[in-house]
Amino acid sequence: MVAAAVPTSSSQLLRLSSSRSISTTLLPLHLSAFGHRELRCRVGRGPEGAAVTVQCAAVGTTSSEAATKKKSGYEIQTLTSWLLKQEQAGDIDAEMTIVLSSISMACKQIASLVQRAGISNLTGVQGAVNVQGEDQKKLDVVSNEVFSNCLRSSGRTGIIASEEEDVPVAVEESYSGNYIVVFDPLDGSSNIDAAVSTGSIFGIYSPNDECLADLDDDATLDQTAQRCVVNVCQPGSNLLAAGYCMYSSSVIFVLSIGKGVYAFTLDPMYGEFVLTQEKIQIPKAGKIYAFNEGNYQLWDDKLKKYIDDLKDPGPSGKPYSARYIGSLVGDFHRTLLYGGIYGYPRDKKSKNGKLRLLYECAPMSYLVEQAGGKGSDGHRRILDIEPEEIHQRVPLYIGSLEEVEKLEKYLA
């Protein structure tokens, strides 16, 4: 009997030939060259006395194929397990893991409050005005308290700065770590009564020993608070992590720690955020724009020309589509997935626009850059702007790289 060399590919056949009769019943074989595979053979018979040919082919999966086998449908990755993997990889430390877990807990609580707002009498105006001069919704106040309490109880934050607070707050409960966390607890709260998408936005900066709340004999609380304000006012390029949580038909937690953008969806069955999208990349260009065109007459002529050109069908015969929710988180999330551009420009009434640099523009620009997009004030990169005050406002144009660069050429 003569045997050919054992093949290493399933596309090859193992051939055996013999001048003697061979039984047609062959047992499956395991050959290490094939990995975990089965050898299936068929017998070819010639005339009486002629040679008999056996053709065998390996079927099944190789070791390398088994390694890339599709995951089980019951295998899920929660935000907690994902954070622990990043910690093991050395991308974040244990303190950051705790801070992000605390933020996710705050988002779960706020999501529940938003869903029950009408039932729990949390709709409508609180009766107070925040530092921005805006009427505070009841949920604004409650969400701010929830966010602050979760961060305080983590014990890993030294300073927290909220859109709803006049000044940053030194966290007395901190005993390890001194992360600076800035956040907008409930963006788009004016939409609450109409059950339209809202969200929470946050950014995390590195610890800063100069911002500890300890006072010496010569220092005063005012001096310490002023020093902390200066340290909170860092450019977005210093962000260590940023993200948002959108409260809509699904509760979606979008996060970046500087290694791409990941999305987690709250599974009500488990009460956990589950990884649903990895390494999100925004399209290089898009055909959707999101601007509040009710302010069109208040814009400068260069911006008007840009918007007019978007509406012109041109050679393609199809103009851009307009989509505007009025909630930064909702508009940004759609832009992140589908491409295009979102803009909140300066106008004759609001010389610097209405969006806050520290709590809204910088975290969103950090995320869009991680996804391959761009955030600009029309002339410069948002992440390069050095804040001069806590509640500083800037114009914002954010979205696909080509779309934002196109707008900058119009405004140049």
Side-chain angles (χ1 to χ4, degrees):
M1 181 183 294
V2 180
V6 175
T8 59
S9 170
S10 59
S11 63
Q12 295 174 294
L13 294 175
L14 178 65
R15 298 176 181 274
L16 301 172
S17 63
S18 172
S19 58
R20 293 184 297 174
S21 174
I22 298 179
S23 170
T24 59
T25 304
L26 299 176
L27 295 175
L29 301 176
H30 172 79
L31 301 178
S32 59
F34 291 102
H36 296 288
R37 314 184 85 171
E38 188 181 72
L39 202 62
R40 292 184 181 172
C41 305
R42 67 175 182 269
V43 179
R45 291 186 177 280
E48 185 70 25
V52 177
T53 301
V54 181
Q55 293 184 333
C56 299
V59 297
T61 57
T62 63
S63 300
S64 60
E65 289 171 340
T68 58
K69 187 178 179 182
K70 188 177 179 181
K71 292 182 179 180
S72 165
Y74 295 99
E75 185 177 349
I76 61 174
Q77 185 170 3
T78 65
L79 174 61
T80 301
S81 61
W82 184 85
L83 288 172
L84 291 174
K85 283 187 177 180
Q86 308 315 305
E87 184 182 329
Q88 291 169 356
D91 294 331
I92 58 176
D93 60 19
E95 312 298 326
M96 177 68 80
T97 299
I98 294 173
V99 172
L100 288 170
S101 295
S102 299
I103 290 174
S104 72
M105 176 57 70
C107 291
K108 289 179 189 177
Q109 293 183 46
I110 295 172
S112 178
L113 289 169
V114 168
Q115 290 169 352
R116 293 180 51 82
I119 301 171
S120 304
N121 194 30
L122 287 174
T123 57
V125 178
Q126 173 77 8
V129 176
N130 67 10
V131 68
Q132 316 294 325
E134 302 162 335
D135 289 330
Q136 286 183 312
K137 297 284 187 178
K138 293 177 183 177
L139 264 179
D140 281 328
V141 177
V142 176
S143 298
N144 183 66
E145 187 173 344
V146 167
F147 227 99
S148 298
N149 287 342
C150 284
L151 288 171
R152 287 174 184 274
S153 63
S154 75
R156 298 316 195 264
T157 51
I159 299 295
I160 57 177
S162 167
E163 179 191 352
E164 303 298 330
E165 302 283 355
D166 294 347
V167 296
V169 178
V171 180
E172 298 175 358
E173 291 84 349
S174 290
Y175 57 87
S176 176
N178 192 30
Y179 282 106
I180 298 169
V181 181
V182 298
F183 60 92
D184 181 351
L186 195 61
D187 172 75
S189 57
S190 60
N191 289 322
I192 283 290
D193 295 1
V196 178
S197 299
T198 54
S200 300
I201 307 171
F202 65 89
I204 303 175
Y205 290 92
S206 60
N208 193 322
D209 293 337
E210 295 180 11
C211 208
L212 293 174
D214 295 333
L215 300 177
D216 55 35
D217 294 337
D218 298 326
T220 66
L221 183 59
D222 287 341
Q223 291 173 335
T224 302
Q226 289 171 10
R227 188 166 66 244
C228 290
V229 168
V230 171
N231 289 321
V232 168
C233 287
Q234 300 182 44
S237 55
N238 287 358
L239 280 164
L240 298 179
Y244 61 85
C245 188
M246 183 174 70
Y247 313 116
S248 185
S249 56
S250 297
V251 179
I252 301 176
F253 189 87
V254 178
L255 171 68
S256 177
I257 57 171
K259 302 285 184 179
V261 181
Y262 294 78
F264 302 81
T265 302
L266 183 63
D267 187 335
M269 182 180 296
Y270 303 113
E272 293 280 356
F273 283 108
V274 176
L275 180 63
T276 48
Q277 289 175 286
E278 302 181 60
K279 298 281 187 180
I280 298 173
Q281 286 291 302
I282 186 172
K284 293 295 183 184
K287 287 292 184 179
I288 299 175
Y289 72 96
F291 286 72
N292 182 3
E293 293 187 78
N295 294 327
Y296 179 88
Q297 295 300 331
L298 302 176
W299 296 339
D300 62 38
D301 292 338
K302 292 180 179 179
L303 183 59
K304 287 180 181 179
K305 179 67 167 61
Y306 168 75
I307 294 295
D308 291 342
D309 286 352
L310 293 186
K311 297 177 181 180
D312 184 355
S316 68
K318 186 177 180 181
Y320 279 57
S321 297
R323 300 283 187 275
Y324 187 74
I325 298 172
S327 167
L328 174 59
V329 171
D331 280 311
F332 177 83
H333 189 71
R334 182 199 57 250
T335 304
L336 180 66
L337 298 182
Y338 304 151
I341 185 170
Y342 168 88
Y344 205 116
R346 60 168 52 95
D347 57 41
K348 293 177 181 177
K349 290 193 304 182
S350 304
K351 299 298 183 183
N352 294 311
K354 284 194 173 182
L355 298 180
R356 267 69 57 164
L357 172 62
L358 203 61
Y359 312 105
E360 297 167 319
C361 300
M364 291 306 202
S365 295
Y366 178 86
L367 287 169
V368 84
E369 287 196 9
Q370 286 291 318
K374 186 173 184 178
S376 170
D377 70 349
H379 304 282
R380 54 182 172 164
R381 179 176 177 242
I382 289 288
L383 297 185
D384 289 338
I385 301 175
E386 190 85 37
E388 298 175 358
E389 57 183 76
I390 294 298
H391 301 293
Q392 180 177 340
R393 301 173 190 259
V394 294
L396 176 66
Y397 305 99
I398 193 168
S400 298
L401 180 64
E402 293 180 10
E403 301 301 333
V404 176
E405 290 181 344
K406 176 182 176 181
L407 175 134
E408 286 179 327
K409 291 178 182 178
Y410 274 82
L411 299 184

